[in-house]
Amino acid sequence: METPRTTFEGPRPIPFQAPQGDLAILSGTANPLLAQHVATALGVSLTPCRAHIFSEGNVFVRIKENVRGKDAYIIQGCHFPVNDNFMELLFWIDALRRASAQNITAVIPFFSYAQGDKKDEPRVSIRARVCADAIEAAGADRVLTMDLHSPQIQGFFRVPVDHLYGRQVLAEHVRRLQIPDLVVCSPDVGFAKGAAAYANLLGTPVVIGNKQRTDHSETVEVLEVIGDVKDRNVLLVDDLTITGRSLIAMAETLKKRGARDVYAAVTHAVLSKGASERIAQSQIKLMFVTDTIENSFDPLPPNVQVVTVAPLFAEAIRSIHERTSISMLFPDGRPICP
């Protein structure tokens, strides 16, 4: 009598569908160009979908193709109009969940409410936590974002958060320019670790600015620069700029301290009304920004250059989809958190 086999020899010759499902990339209205570039880099087509805003401001979203069982990524930033874009993101997540997508990743190139990370005044809301709860309640399984203003916001979520760094792309762009005698400068002590990470990537020294704000008027006063910039070209770095005033004030101070040319590298160019004109007339020779934000209040000035982060987002999505390590995307393997 033949002995029954109790072990299996190797994998199935014809595998079932991948556990994570087929890849589906969707674009909200906030980042259509970035989403298209990400899809192109991944070699897939955008999943057809539609968002419509009714006359009274009500937002309607609809996915126009079957996503049942798919690994879905909705690309929707939360920049101006912040509340409209955030609500649209929640509706896309809910639509994907009700359409039976297997996994839902909210790809948020710029998460504006990341600035509301703490209760630093009496009787104020911790807005980032409220947004994190809303994203989870809508049905997101994962969040993919870039340069959170406060990295500890990752802890506000109970779902996994993959945090990308725009400095990887911006530093490579600056390196190709071969700017001599370069030193990296943080406009304040809050971004000192981020500046150190830039300096590590570029192989340059780092100096730190000291500034203060006394209210919510978005004005700034530069108090001092810690470090020597005389006869050096300086690269100002930050995660975001809204009015441009911090960078402009720091650039003026650096020039007074004997710096030659002042450059700037900023991941998120929010650039509120009037910021473009101020930057155009400032001491900043060139400013490098990413395309995490597509719409601006004013046309970008001639001294601002846009560097795309679509390939980085595409590789991160590929890593999540294929269940490989995202940390391998960073040259040092273990990025320094700003």
Side-chain angles (χ1 to χ4, degrees), residues 27 29 47-52 54 60-64 88 92:
S27 172
T29 60
T47 298
C49 55
R50 173 180 175 240
H52 178 75
F54 292 100
F60 168 84
V61 302
R62 178 173 178 244
I63 304 163
K64 302 170 73 173
E88 184 184 324
W92 283 121

Side-chain angles (χ1 to χ4, degrees), residues 63-273:
I63 304 163
K64 302 170 73 173
E65 185 175 282
N66 180 25
V67 293
R68 183 179 298 274
K70 292 189 176 183
D71 189 16
Y73 298 79
I74 171 62
I75 301 176
Q76 172 74 3
C78 296
H79 48 267
F80 180 84
V82 177
N83 295 334
D84 288 350
N85 283 333
F86 181 72
M87 289 303 299
E88 184 184 324
L89 172 66
L90 298 183
F91 295 152
W92 283 121
I93 295 170
D94 180 67
L96 286 166
R97 181 174 62 87
R98 296 178 186 278
S100 299
Q102 184 164 310
N103 294 287
I104 303 169
T105 298
V107 182
I108 311 174
F110 174 54
F111 184 31
S112 177
Y113 278 119
Q115 297 174 84
D117 65 315
K118 57 188 177 294
K119 188 174 184 288
D120 53 358
E121 298 178 42
R123 300 172 297 280
V124 298
S125 169
I126 304 179
R127 295 161 292 158
R129 178 57 193 267
V130 176
C131 292
D133 289 344
I135 289 170
E136 288 183 17
D141 298 299
R142 178 182 293 269
V143 172
L144 173 62
T145 188
M146 174 170 280
D147 278 351
L148 290 169
H149 188 62
S150 300
Q152 66 266 22
I153 288 171
Q154 296 172 74
F156 289 2
F157 292 87
R158 287 178 291 271
V159 298
V161 176
D162 292 305
H163 190 201
L164 302 180
Y165 298 88
R167 62 174 175 258
Q168 305 292 334
V169 176
L170 291 170
E172 178 59 30
H173 182 77
V174 172
R175 187 184 297 110
R176 288 196 294 266
L177 298 178
Q178 298 182 339
I179 303 171
D181 301 319
L182 187 65
V183 60
V184 170
C185 176
S186 170
D188 54 43
V189 295
F191 201 69
K193 286 187 177 180
Y198 265 100
N200 181 56
L201 290 170
L202 293 169
T204 66
V206 61
V207 301
I208 308 297
N210 182 21
K211 70 180 184 183
Q212 69 174 5
R213 286 191 177 95
T214 57
D215 52 31
H216 292 293
S217 64
E218 298 181 335
T219 58
V220 64
E221 177 186 3
V222 178
L223 302 178
E224 192 49 77
V225 177
I226 306 170
D228 184 22
V229 296
K230 185 175 176 57
D231 297 325
R232 304 292 296 266
N233 292 310
V234 182
L235 177 68
L236 278 167
V237 295
D238 212 341
D239 60 327
L240 65 91
T241 183
I242 300 176
T243 65
R245 289 190 174 97
S246 290
L247 296 175
I248 292 169
M250 185 58 65
E252 292 173 352
T253 301
L254 291 169
K255 294 292 283 188
K256 292 177 182 177
R257 298 294 189 277
R260 283 158 37 191
D261 290 330
V262 178
Y263 301 83
V266 180
T267 302
H268 306 300
V270 182
L271 300 184
S272 59
K273 190 69 176 177

